[in-house]
Amino acid sequence: MASSSPSSSSAVKRLSNLSNHLCPTNSNPLVKVSAQVSQALSTGLPVVALESTIISHGMPYPQNLETAKEVEAIVRDNGAVPATIAILDGEPCIGLNLEQLERLARMGKSAQKTARRDIAYVVATKRNGATTVSATMFFAAMVGIPLFVTGGIGGVHRHGEHTMDISSDLTELGRTPVAVVSAGVKSILDIPRTLEYLETQGVCVAAYKTNEFPAFFTETSGCKVPCRLDSPEECARLIDANRKLNLGNGVLIAVPIAKEYSASGSLIESAIQQALTEAREKNITGNAETPFLLARVNEITGGASLASNIALVKNNAAIGAKISVALAQLLK
């Protein structure tokens, strides 16, 4: 992992000494931003948004807490300020402290999986919500965070041409100007149709140091990308151009999982097919389907898919932080 610039790292370390109490930094009184994130945004330091569904629904406690802390540390080590986003007791929080991270991790699936459609309900009823890609993008854009790192985005589900089960992540990318760094689309989904839908939404899809769109657990999907980027600086220039042109949509930067963690494509596909069959037999649909499929694939592969999931999230965090640093330098 490459080290960040001395000036950026020292600035982030100074921020880490600040009290992490929540304070408003935008015009919306319902949303609270941590002191670290607030100061970073006001001084032009790089900030990386992080989702919280991966904490509550992605893996068990305490592995989820350790992973969340490690991902935030990787962002800091590469010169940026992490901003994990969640809704706690009806209050959208941009940037969580350790106590809040642990609380969310212990909640697990009792925290509501919160996409854009669910935000108003979770806030109005003062519930706890773990934000998905769409909700995290929404809040990041609201406070001015230009980049968001996740594991993999949602997409068009297999047989989506019959069920119309299409993740709101895709429409969010079509209307919210936040760049998303991910390992592509979860391979439990229909990747070709997902890419077609993103094209319809006008979303620029780029792959990092490859010409092929990655498939989350594996480096390749068989689908070519229209745009290849080979450095954090190239990624930053694309994001900057997209924002300055006021295109109004996001950018998807797909980073392939590292070779040493890439699972066997045939092994994963076999596990996915078994999990899909079980989901249909149990009539598991909607936002419950993806967590079920990922959990079953992990069980079938003996934990190999979860290890790959954690590895790719960490890799995305390192690359996303470097892109954020390059973007901050470009804007200065």
Side-chain angles (χ1 to χ4, degrees):
M1 187 183 300
S3 60
S4 56
S5 64
S7 58
S8 181
S9 292
S10 60
V12 172
K13 286 176 181 175
R14 286 197 300 273
L15 277 177
S16 67
N17 293 326
L18 284 172
S19 167
N20 208 22
H21 66 278
L22 295 174
C23 57
T25 66
N26 64 89
S27 58
N28 194 316
L30 294 179
V31 178
K32 303 298 180 181
V33 184
S34 75
Q36 291 180 22
V37 174
S38 174
Q39 181 156 337
L41 290 172
S42 65
T43 56
L45 286 173
V47 179
V48 172
L50 300 168
E51 62 158 295
S52 48
T53 294
I54 193 171
I55 302 172
S56 62
H57 291 68
M59 59 196 76
Y61 180 87
Q63 193 173 24
N64 55 356
L65 177 61
E66 292 307 311
T67 300
K69 287 159 60 177
E70 288 167 4
V71 168
E72 287 203 349
I74 288 168
V75 171
R76 291 191 184 95
D77 290 344
N78 283 276
V81 175
T84 300
I85 296 174
I87 302 175
L88 298 175
D89 299 319
E91 185 173 67
C93 300
I94 319 296
L96 304 184
N97 58 32
L98 286 177
E99 181 181 342
Q100 291 167 325
L101 277 177
E102 176 151 10
R103 180 184 172 198
L104 188 63
R106 286 183 179 275
M107 275 184 217
K109 294 179 182 178
S110 65
Q112 181 166 339
K113 186 179 178 183
T114 305
R116 173 191 267 259
R117 70 164 187 185
D118 308 303
I119 293 172
Y121 174 71
V122 174
V123 170
T125 56
K126 299 189 183 303
R127 296 179 181 232
N128 297 304
T131 55
T132 65
V133 170
S134 64
T136 306
M137 286 183 70
F138 172 80
F139 286 121
M142 178 185 288
V143 300
I145 300 174
L147 186 138
F148 159 47
V149 165
T150 186
I153 67 166
V156 178
H157 280 253
R158 299 190 188 200
H159 311 295
E161 68 274 23
H162 301 298
T163 64
M164 293 301 292
D165 192 348
I166 301 171
S167 171
S168 62
D169 297 354
L170 305 186
T171 48
E172 199 66 37
L173 274 161
R175 63 180 169 186
T176 302
V178 171
V180 178
V181 176
S182 81
V185 177
K186 296 179 179 72
S187 49
I188 58 175
L189 305 172
D190 187 327
I191 294 176
R193 282 192 171 90
T194 297
L195 292 173
E196 288 288 349
Y197 196 90
L198 285 170
E199 181 184 358
T200 300
Q201 292 292 314
V203 177
C204 178
V205 177
Y208 190 72
K209 295 185 178 181
T210 181
N211 295 310
E212 189 167 331
F213 193 76
F216 196 66
F217 292 123
T218 57
E219 301 165 83
T220 59
S221 65
C223 301
K224 300 296 182 183
V225 291
C227 178
R228 171 178 173 148
L229 302 169
D230 287 302
S231 69
E233 291 72 24
E234 286 186 10
C235 296
R237 287 194 291 271
L238 174 63
I239 296 167
D240 185 47
N242 187 74
R243 291 169 70 84
K244 285 179 177 175
L245 288 166
N246 292 317
L247 288 169
N249 52 21
V251 171
L252 178 62
I253 300 173
V255 180
I257 187 172
K259 282 185 172 61
E260 60 267 30
Y261 292 105
S262 181
S264 164
S266 59
L267 172 66
I268 293 292
E269 182 59 30
S270 174
I272 288 170
Q273 290 300 332
Q274 181 178 334
L276 284 167
T277 299
E278 293 177 10
R280 285 194 294 271
E281 290 172 348
K282 297 178 179 180
N283 197 30
I284 298 172
T285 59
N287 66 3
E289 185 174 20
T290 296
F292 170 81
L293 292 175
L294 290 176
R296 279 299 290 137
V297 170
N298 183 55
E299 291 170 6
I300 296 166
T301 60
S305 66
L306 179 57
S308 295
N309 194 349
I310 293 171
L312 66 83
V313 170
K314 291 179 179 179
N315 185 51
N316 293 348
I319 292 171
K322 292 171 188 174
I323 296 171
S324 182
V325 170
L327 181 61
Q329 292 172 344
L330 187 63
L331 295 177
K332 284 182 180 178

